[in-house]
Amino acid sequence: AQTAPVAATRHTFTVSGKQFQMDGKPYQIIAGEMHYARVPRAYWRDRLRKARAMGLNTITTYVFWNVHEPQHGVYDFSGQNDLAEYIREAQAEGLNVILRPGPYVCAEWELGGYPSWLLKDRSLVLRSDDPKYMAAEKAWFARLGQEITPLLLKNGGPIIAVQVENEYGSFGDDKAYLEGVKSQLIEDGMGDMLLYTANPPDDLIRGSLPELPTVINFGTGDAQK
């Protein structure tokens, strides 16, 4: 059974100077990463409840393109793949959500979350402004937007931010491609949120856009004081 929607309370979430703000007041994100595709659906609520009990106020998750479009044009958002239900359950447990839809997500996931059918066309160039690749991405984001738009913060949902690509600076520096991904998210209804990029510290310039906040990814012991 699906979780009943939480009563819609519309909030705002922005960046002001060096600070996040929720409804115009200072807000600290205390987040943990948990991927719906890696946790059996029967345990989603239990894990989310425990995350909240730990003191987290936000759950971050990738969206795995290959899980939802295993065949070209054939989409699956049911059962274990019911991303919208996962997000609703997070909200029911008092958690915000940061969405990381890629389209490349890495995540130590095969082909970085790309569906294998993209490789059938040997001339298609992944993570580029290749028209064939961008057409496939456009169709995917359009379908994903149908699931996500009702769950955005402005619509009473828990999604406070959406990531543009993923550590792209470790791969390339094509700003036109990054702008294309950003524009597609906006076109498909997922851009009326705080959009941001995320990269390792040495790749910030290559993988960020000047008009978006940038997040630094680092491992234990790597942060400089």
Side-chain angles (χ1 to χ4, degrees), residues 24-85:
K25 298 178 181 179
Y27 188 85
Q28 181 183 17
I29 295 175
I30 307 173
E33 188 92 7
M34 190 167 84
H35 305 149
Y36 60 99
R38 286 173 158 142
V39 178
R41 177 169 176 158
Y43 297 116
W44 285 353
R45 181 59 70 91
D46 173 75
R47 301 301 188 264
L48 292 165
R49 186 170 295 138
K50 288 173 178 174
R52 189 72 182 101
M54 287 169 55
L56 303 187
N57 60 23
T58 304
I59 284 292
T60 305
T61 186
Y62 288 117
V63 181
F64 300 95
W65 184 357
N66 59 348
V67 164
H68 296 291
E69 193 179 2
Q71 300 177 52
H72 191 193
V74 178
Y75 299 98
D76 182 4
F77 286 92
S78 64
Q80 181 69 38
N81 300 333
D82 193 344
L83 173 62
E85 173 63 11

Side-chain angles (χ1 to χ4, degrees), residues 17-175:
K18 297 182 179 180
Q19 193 171 60
F20 295 117
Q21 291 194 341
M22 179 77 76
D23 299 332
K25 298 178 181 179
Y27 188 85
Q28 181 183 17
I29 295 175
I30 307 173
E33 188 92 7
M34 190 167 84
H35 305 149
Y36 60 99
R38 286 173 158 142
V39 178
R41 177 169 176 158
Y43 297 116
W44 285 353
R45 181 59 70 91
D46 173 75
R47 301 301 188 264
L48 292 165
R49 186 170 295 138
K50 288 173 178 174
R52 189 72 182 101
M54 287 169 55
L56 303 187
N57 60 23
T58 304
I59 284 292
T60 305
T61 186
Y62 288 117
V63 181
F64 300 95
W65 184 357
N66 59 348
V67 164
H68 296 291
E69 193 179 2
Q71 300 177 52
H72 191 193
V74 178
Y75 299 98
D76 182 4
F77 286 92
S78 64
Q80 181 69 38
N81 300 333
D82 193 344
L83 173 62
E85 173 63 11
Y86 180 76
I87 294 171
R88 284 191 293 267
E89 291 193 16
Q91 184 177 25
E93 292 301 326
L95 292 159
N96 301 318
V97 173
I98 295 175
L99 202 69
R100 307 172 76 187
Y104 175 85
V105 299
C106 185
E108 290 66 52
W109 195 268
E110 57 189 47
L111 198 58
Y114 280 133
S116 60
W117 51 262
L118 283 173
L119 301 179
K120 290 182 179 180
D121 184 345
R122 297 298 183 90
S123 65
L124 184 148
V125 182
L126 298 174
R127 299 183 90 179
S128 79
D129 59 0
D130 174 6
K132 290 179 290 186
Y133 168 75
M134 294 302 289
E137 177 200 282
K138 178 180 175 66
W140 157 236
F141 273 176
R143 179 62 185 87
L144 177 61
Q146 296 175 29
E147 303 288 320
I148 295 307
T149 301
L151 298 165
L152 299 180
L153 197 67
K154 68 166 189 172
N155 294 325
I159 299 175
I160 61 173
V162 177
Q163 183 176 297
V164 178
E165 243 277 353
N166 184 64
E167 296 190 333
Y168 180 70
S170 298
F171 174 81
D173 59 0
D174 186 345
K175 299 305 176 72

